[in-house]
Amino acid sequence: MPDIEGLVNDFVAKLSKRKVEGSQATSRLTAELLRSVVSLQRLPPTNPAAVLIEAVRGIGVKLVAANPVELAVGNIVRRVLHIIREEDLSLLTSKTGDLDLSAASDDERTIEQDYDPTQSAAAAAAKSFVRPPSLHALLENMPDKAVPSNIYTSSSGGDSEEKSKADKLARTRKLKHDVIEAINMLIEDIDTCHELIAEQAVEHIHQNEVILTLGSSRTAFEFFCAAKEKKRSFRVVVAEGAPRYQGHALAKELVSRGLQTTVVTDSAVFAMISRVNMVIVGVHAVMANGGVIAPVGMNMVALAAQKHAVPFVVVAGIHKLCPSYPHNPEVCLNDMRSPAELLEFGRLFGVDSGAPLQVVNPGFDYVAPELVSLLITDIGGHNPSYMYRLISDYYSADDFDLQRRIHK
Amino acid sequence: MNALVNEFIIKLKKRKIEGSKTTAKLTAEVLRSCISQQRLPQTNQAAALIDTIRAIGEKLIAANPVELAVGNIVRRVLNIIREEDVSLTAAAVGGLGVSAGSDDEDDFRQDDHPGLSAAAVAAAARSTLRPPSLQTLLEDLPQSTALPRTSSSGGDSDGKSKSADKNSTSKKLKHNVIEAVNELIQDIATCHEQIAEQAVEHIHHNEVILTLGNSRTVMEFLCAAKEKKRSFRVFVAEGAPRYQGHALGKELAARGLQTTVITDSAVFAVISRVNMVVVGAHAVMANGGVIAPVGMNMVALAAQRHAVPFVVLAGTHKLCPLYPHNPEVLLNELKSPAELLDFGEFSDCLDFGSSSGSPLLHVVNPAFDYVPPNLVSLFITDTGGHNASYVYKLIADYYSADDIVVKQKLIS
């Protein structure tokens, strides 16, 4: 049976050697690793959630340190931590409700869906007591029952010692089971994000439009293909995206799907933008303020689009949503790549070092939220100013700083 | 002469003349007749002519203050008189020092006039206190301040005639002025063709053009581009309350252009798909602002919001040397509410004879809109395309500062 340490070290090595390409693949592997960690972790009967959180957090710190540029790793770690907290909370609240009810009602009870109105009221009340209500909870019925006073104490009020111990063991197993189920759902969401986003393509791309994009994003590509299949006739202008020129590959694929495509240099974007109806791009990460980290050159496209009143639409899966606010993102969240991509080293030989030549090859650009018109995610299209709300749904405030020692 | 003028004034007052081009043409013709019938004294002829034209012009402007083209043409004619006077004076002064031989090489249009010394020109210029026109500045010659408008025949014979022959000079002034006014009429008549020639530079393939109302200049512009085999589509905003856009849409469709007629309120909805807005104007003010049919300001604002170029087509006879803050300029004309509301239906609301003495419902039907110069991307005139901030220079070329106020001088 493979142990946790081995698995983690394997993955850390892959990350630090940048052997994993793309945020979707990285997210998936991170989630799978954490799922294995959760299933292999031995949990004590008392306060299993805290131990689990601590374990995942420790591993998460190592993973993030291995590849700080790939923000999706940190996102998934925080998602898993949030899942653990949520499952723990729902278990506790259902346990609290357990005391007031007869055993018969237990069979109808599932953790995910509380059909019993009393149970759901208690659970909702408990949840709202602990953290601000998510938008979904607000829209559901509010509880009218009083909040149980101390839900964290062990619920072994009138039970015998044996029954409480058995209860705790069952609870531990249930926690693991629920967390793994939730992580499975997360992995499925990551896998299907492209399809969910592509479903919305028809609402946004209309007949006889000209779309501009930069570089190569698989999300954007699936978006275009979905619109094409729904018989929309439109043209795509692809900016090549120096220095990696990934736009060439995207253009080739689009042409093979039958879309009329034009490849332009990055500098030609401003010249073309007056004839473009919409800019649709994929990004590397979405920050909490709605700003995006995107392949280099994207800020220029966003500025050109703003100047010509062209909508700048970003397509990104929810796993790219990062709960931190960007401070000096051009430097801190950037990836300075090798100058060899720009200049051949041999060309610089023989140059006298009067003034040394510096070559800067940033991998990413930061686009401010004012320039982004719409963010299309797998749960729908949103304003950049709405991102903070999604973050409170998917992440816990305690997990924002992974390094910090949490006290429970 | 008086009968002619009075007849024209009556026509202007009754608004029987439609359109600035026609008005400008008739004004110029009336003034030409006045000039030719005017008896001029021996000395200081230009001043006498100017006074006469000024008096007539004042009456014409008062007859239809909204039609700024009347005032424009009056001021153009006054400027022509001044310029012809200057060129004749300069020729007369310079003629004293000219030998007969060099006259044959004269060609006024090329300004290759070795006979006129710088001193002569300076004296002539000082006598009229006019700043040099841009064209003379660019040509960099100590030349006469006469613009190409001066007829070449006058220049040639000037060099040959004796400067002391004032009789011939007096006939020359009238003759030159009438020739220049003829040229002006010719320019007014051909302004559409000159503007339409530039259409091909501005309209490209697969473009979508938006316009509002019905402007003959715009129609000629679009048709010229069509004839040069450009394929483009036109959106015509109907231009309530007169709905002249319908007529334009019909004509464009008859010429084979794919046209779409939309309501004025739909302009903002379609502007994101439009590549250029091309409109005509009623008048162009000295600051570059435009007086245009009502609804145009909304189109200009929508175009600015979507970064769409707003191009105004206007013949130079529409170029007014007044600024919009000038109280003489009536920026608007309020037309009858009957165009908007049916009197029969709304008679009780609009009734001034009701108990309170004032009706509850007021109907405002302005005929024009003012579009500020910062919303205009380009002016296309018969002399070419210009920025809004360049209009003041065109005015300096065509008008004289003394003529801004057209009032009969009390002391001559």
Side-chain angles (χ1 to χ4, degrees):
Chain A
M1 190 147 168
D3 66 327
I4 298 177
E5 281 282 332
L7 282 173
V8 171
N9 288 338
D10 269 347
F11 192 51
V12 165
K14 268 198 209 159
L15 281 178
S16 52
K17 288 189 185 163
R18 307 286 193 266
K19 284 215 186 295
V20 188
E21 285 260 1
S23 18
Q24 197 195 22
T26 318
S27 315
R28 201 167 190 282
L29 290 172
T30 312
E32 285 171 356
L33 172 73
L34 292 176
R35 181 179 59 187
S36 313
V37 167
V38 167
S39 67
L40 291 174
Q41 184 74 27
R42 284 184 183 283
L43 298 179
T46 51
N47 226 352
V51 171
L52 200 49
I53 286 173
E54 198 48 46
V56 172
R57 203 188 56 79
I59 291 167
V61 168
K62 280 193 235 171
L63 293 179
V64 169
N67 189 349
V69 171
E70 187 56 77
L71 294 165
V73 176
N75 296 350
I76 298 301
V77 169
R78 291 182 182 93
R79 282 289 288 273
V80 170
L81 289 171
H82 180 75
I83 286 169
I84 298 171
R85 288 180 204 277
E86 283 228 346
E87 295 302 337
D88 186 41
L89 200 55
S90 67
L91 270 180
L92 280 170
T93 54
S94 66
K95 192 78 179 91
T96 314
D98 211 8
L99 294 172
D100 305 334
L101 298 169
S102 62
S105 59
D106 290 358
D107 304 315
E108 305 150 18
R109 201 184 62 231
T110 61
I111 300 302
E112 299 295 323
Q113 304 226 347
D114 283 348
Y115 294 110
D116 193 318
T118 327
Q119 291 257 338
S120 60
K127 280 188 186 168
S128 60
F129 177 70
V130 175
R131 60 182 170 82
S134 83
L135 205 59
H136 290 229
L138 280 175
L139 291 171
E140 286 159 18
N141 284 331
M142 285 307 288
D144 46 7
K145 225 180 146 171
V147 173
S149 56
N150 198 351
I151 53 176
Y152 276 115
T153 49
S154 166
S155 51
S156 56
D159 293 341
S160 65
E161 191 62 33
E162 275 189 18
K163 192 174 177 216
S164 75
K165 200 170 177 187
D167 275 342
K168 282 183 194 171
L169 277 171
R171 223 184 85 199
T172 310
R173 256 179 275 128
K174 199 128 199 3
L175 178 68
K176 249 199 198 183
H177 178 251
D178 293 338
V179 169
I180 290 177
E181 280 225 13
I183 296 182
N184 280 335
M185 277 179 58
L186 172 62
I187 292 174
E188 207 183 304
D189 281 344
I190 295 171
D191 283 338
T192 58
C193 75
H194 287 162
E195 285 87 48
L196 289 170
I197 290 173
E199 274 173 21
Q200 308 169 49
V202 175
E203 300 161 18
H204 297 280
I205 300 182
H206 306 291
Q207 208 77 12
N208 280 335
E209 284 204 339
V210 179
I211 317 276
L212 177 82
T213 188
L214 184 135
S216 172
S217 157
R218 192 174 147 213
T219 324
F221 174 63
E222 303 269 342
F223 199 78
F224 296 142
C225 293
K228 180 84 174 86
E229 261 147 57
K230 293 274 163 59
K231 307 284 181 256
R232 295 275 197 254
S233 79
F234 58 100
R235 299 167 44 202
V236 182
V237 178
V238 180
E240 49 184 14
R244 309 187 96 186
Y245 299 110
Q246 286 174 327
H248 299 171
L250 177 68
K252 212 165 169 180
E253 286 196 352
L254 287 173
V255 166
S256 69
R257 298 290 183 109
L259 274 170
Q260 197 181 351
T261 319
T262 311
V263 174
V264 294
T265 57
D266 296 350
S267 24
V269 163
F270 192 79
M272 302 288 294
I273 196 97
S274 52
R275 297 298 204 112
V276 167
N277 295 117
M278 184 157 48
V279 177
I280 300 182
V281 292
V283 295
H284 173 74
V286 179
M287 310 308 291
N289 64 345
V292 294
I293 309 283
V296 67
M298 202 61 77
N299 195 23
M300 166 198 70
V301 176
L303 289 167
Q306 187 197 45
K307 182 73 174 66
H308 284 263
V310 174
F312 186 83
V313 176
V314 171
V315 289
I318 277 293
H319 62 273
K320 292 187 177 175
L321 178 62
C322 182
S324 47
Y325 282 81
H327 298 289
N328 202 5
E330 294 86 353
V331 175
C332 300
L333 293 174
N334 218 331
D335 182 23
M336 296 298 175
R337 302 208 174 121
S338 160
E341 291 184 11
L342 303 181
L343 284 184
E344 288 174 19
F345 276 137
R347 294 179 71 127
L348 296 174
F349 270 132
V351 173
D352 285 290
S353 59
L357 176 67
Q358 285 193 321
V359 179
V360 180
N361 184 12
F364 298 115
D365 244 347
Y366 171 69
V367 180
E370 301 86 51
L371 301 175
V372 179
S373 309
L374 187 70
L375 281 158
I376 299 182
T377 64
D378 25 354
I379 51 176
H382 301 292
N383 218 351
S385 54
Y386 187 69
M387 286 302 110
Y388 82 100
R389 210 71 188 85
L390 290 180
I391 281 163
S392 67
D393 274 354
Y394 289 119
Y395 302 101
S396 298
D398 297 322
D399 302 325
F400 286 173
D401 185 0
L402 287 177
Q403 309 250 356
R404 186 173 58 93
R405 281 252 157 231
I406 46 168
H407 15 262
K408 251 187 100 149
Chain B
M1 173 172 80
N2 265 335
L4 198 66
V5 173
N6 288 338
E7 204 186 307
F8 188 54
I9 288 176
I10 290 171
K11 271 198 206 156
L12 282 175
K13 273 195 185 151
K14 292 193 178 164
R15 309 282 193 265
K16 285 216 186 291
I17 306 173
E18 286 259 1
S20 23
K21 184 169 152 176
T22 327
T23 318
K25 198 156 181 286
L26 290 174
T27 312
E29 285 170 357
V30 165
L31 291 176
R32 180 181 58 188
S33 316
C34 293
I35 292 170
S36 62
Q37 290 174 15
Q38 179 76 14
R39 284 185 186 283
L40 295 179
Q42 290 287 30
T43 51
N44 222 355
Q45 299 186 320
L49 205 49
I50 285 174
D51 277 342
T52 321
I53 299 299
R54 201 188 275 264
I56 297 170
E58 197 184 345
K59 283 191 242 172
L60 292 179
I61 293 172
N64 189 350
V66 174
E67 188 54 78
L68 294 163
V70 176
N72 297 348
I73 297 303
V74 168
R75 292 181 182 92
R76 283 288 284 274
V77 170
L78 289 171
N79 193 30
I80 286 171
I81 298 170
R82 289 180 203 276
E83 281 177 3
E84 294 299 336
D85 187 39
V86 167
S87 72
L88 278 179
T89 315
V93 171
L96 293 171
V98 168
S99 68
S102 57
D103 290 355
D104 302 318
E105 304 150 20
D106 284 349
D107 185 358
F108 236 86
R109 286 219 176 264
Q110 297 290 324
D111 285 338
D112 202 20
H113 217 285
L116 294 182
S117 65
V121 174
R126 257 179 269 125
S127 69
T128 51
L129 288 172
R130 265 183 75 243
S133 86
L134 198 65
Q135 274 154 328
T136 54
L137 280 174
L138 288 171
E139 277 148 27
D140 195 33
L141 286 169
Q143 252 318 318
S144 69
T145 49
L147 291 180
R149 290 214 172 277
T150 316
S151 65
S152 47
S153 64
D156 280 339
S157 38
D158 261 339
K160 292 185 180 117
S161 71
K162 299 294 174 216
S163 57
D165 189 353
K166 290 205 177 136
N167 265 338
S168 66
T169 315
S170 81
K171 282 201 209 95
K172 276 290 158 267
L173 176 67
K174 244 200 200 181
H175 181 250
N176 292 350
V177 168
I178 289 177
E179 286 240 5
V181 174
N182 281 334
E183 276 197 39
L184 173 62
I185 294 174
Q186 185 71 14
D187 279 343
I188 296 171
T190 59
C191 74
H192 287 163
E193 285 88 49
Q194 301 237 8
I195 291 175
E197 274 171 21
Q198 309 170 47
V200 175
E201 302 162 17
H202 297 280
I203 299 182
H204 307 290
H205 261 292
N206 282 336
E207 284 207 338
V208 179
I209 315 278
L210 176 80
T211 186
L212 184 136
N214 189 1
S215 160
R216 187 164 153 222
T217 325
V218 170
M219 205 202 66
E220 302 269 343
F221 194 79
L222 296 175
C223 293
K226 177 87 173 89
E227 262 147 56
K228 292 275 164 59
K229 309 282 183 259
R230 296 273 197 254
S231 79
F232 58 98
R233 300 171 46 200
V234 183
F235 277 86
V236 181
E238 48 184 15
R242 309 188 90 190
Y243 300 109
Q244 286 173 329
H246 298 172
L248 179 66
K250 208 168 171 181
E251 279 199 60
L252 290 174
R255 301 284 189 110
L257 274 170
Q258 198 181 352
T259 319
T260 310
V261 173
I262 55 173
T263 58
D264 296 349
S265 23
V267 163
F268 192 79
V270 299
I271 195 99
S272 52
R273 300 296 204 113
V274 169
N275 297 117
M276 183 159 53
V277 177
V278 177
V279 294
H282 173 73
V284 178
M285 312 307 294
N287 65 342
V290 179
I291 296 186
V294 67
M296 204 59 80
N297 194 21
M298 167 197 69
V299 177
L301 288 167
Q304 186 197 43
R305 181 71 177 78
H306 285 263
V308 175
F310 186 82
V311 176
V312 175
L313 310 179
T316 42
H317 61 275
K318 291 189 180 175
L319 191 59
C320 181
L322 303 174
Y323 283 84
H325 56 71
N326 191 328
E328 209 182 291
V329 175
L330 303 176
L331 286 174
N332 225 325
E333 189 182 22
L334 295 174
K335 294 215 159 112
S336 160
E339 291 184 11
L340 303 180
L341 290 184
D342 185 22
F343 269 146
E345 244 183 278
F346 289 88
S347 55
D348 48 350
C349 305
L350 292 172
D351 189 9
F352 271 92
S354 66
S355 53
S356 61
S358 154
L360 289 173
L361 182 66
H362 286 271
V363 180
V364 180
N365 184 10
F368 299 116
D369 245 347
Y370 172 69
V371 180
N374 58 311
L375 296 178
V376 179
S377 309
L378 187 70
F379 281 103
I380 299 184
T381 64
D382 24 357
T383 53
H386 303 293
N387 211 352
S389 51
Y390 187 71
V391 171
Y392 83 101
K393 213 51 180 100
L394 292 176
I395 283 166
D397 276 354
Y398 292 130
Y399 301 99
S400 163
D402 299 320
D403 302 325
I404 299 294
V405 177
V406 180
K407 271 201 185 336
Q408 189 153 23
K409 267 200 182 140
L410 299 173
I411 315 160
S412 65

